[in-house]
Amino acid sequence: MARRVDRARRLTAPAARPPLERDFSAGGLVYRRRAGVVAVVLAARRHPASGRLVWTIPKGHAEPGESSEATALREVREETGLEAEIEGRLGDVTYWFVRRDPEGRAVRVFKRVRFFLMRGRGGRFGDRDAEMDAVRWFSLADAERAAAYDSEGALIRRARELIAPR
C-alpha cells in the first residue's frame, strides 16, 4: 500500500494574480559645496506606526506629458523649497508593492523611480509644501547612513564618486 505522501495530489487551478499597474516617479539628490565640504538634501515623513522620521531622496509622480527631468525639478522644489539644476542621471530604482483599489481589491504595482544628481541654485526650506515632515542638509556619509532604503543609499554612494571634494 502506498504511503499517503506518495499518492497523487488533486490539482487545483492556479491562484488568479491581481492586476498589474506600472508607476513612474522622478526625483533628485541636491548637493552644495561650501568651503570644500559637500552636503546633500534628504526629506522625511514620519512613519505612521513608530513616529520616527523616514529619510529619503525627494521624488514624486510625473504629471501627464511631463519629462522625467521636469518632474524631478518640480518635486525637489515642492518637497524641499530649493531650486536646482540637473547635472546628470544617478540611476533608476525599481520595486514591487501591492496596494488596494477603491473596491478593496489587491493591485500589484511595478514602480520605477528615476533619480538625478542636482546642484542647488537657491531657495530655502521654508518655501516647501507641507508634504514632508522634515528637510535638512546632510554630509554624504551621514546621508548614506540616514537613507531609509538601501537602494537610495547606493545612489548616495554613487553621488559621492561624482561630487567628492576635489
Side-chain angles (χ1 to χ4, degrees), residues 97-116:
F97 65 94
V98 175
R99 67 166 180 79
R100 298 280 173 193
D101 69 12
E103 288 79 40
R105 294 179 301 237
V107 176
R108 293 178 303 144
V109 179
F110 177 73
K111 175 97 174 203
R112 176 178 305 277
V113 184
R114 177 153 298 150
F115 288 98
F116 296 92

Side-chain angles (χ1 to χ4, degrees), residues 62-76:
E63 304 271 334
E66 189 176 46
S67 70
S68 57
E69 292 87 350
T71 299
L73 290 167
R74 177 182 52 76
E75 287 293 336
V76 163

Side-chain angles (χ1 to χ4, degrees), residues 64-134:
E66 189 176 46
S67 70
S68 57
E69 292 87 350
T71 299
L73 290 167
R74 177 182 52 76
E75 287 293 336
V76 163
R77 187 178 56 256
E78 289 174 1
E79 293 184 359
T80 69
L82 300 179
E83 297 293 330
E85 72 178 74
I86 293 175
E87 290 194 343
R89 197 161 135 187
L90 267 180
D92 289 4
V93 171
T94 59
Y95 54 94
W96 294 86
F97 65 94
V98 175
R99 67 166 180 79
R100 298 280 173 193
D101 69 12
E103 288 79 40
R105 294 179 301 237
V107 176
R108 293 178 303 144
V109 179
F110 177 73
K111 175 97 174 203
R112 176 178 305 277
V113 184
R114 177 153 298 150
F115 288 98
F116 296 92
L117 180 62
M118 300 178 176
R119 180 183 294 267
R121 289 294 179 208
R124 56 189 198 96
F125 292 158
D127 294 334
R128 65 186 170 88
D129 63 21
E131 184 176 350
M132 305 309 281
D133 294 312

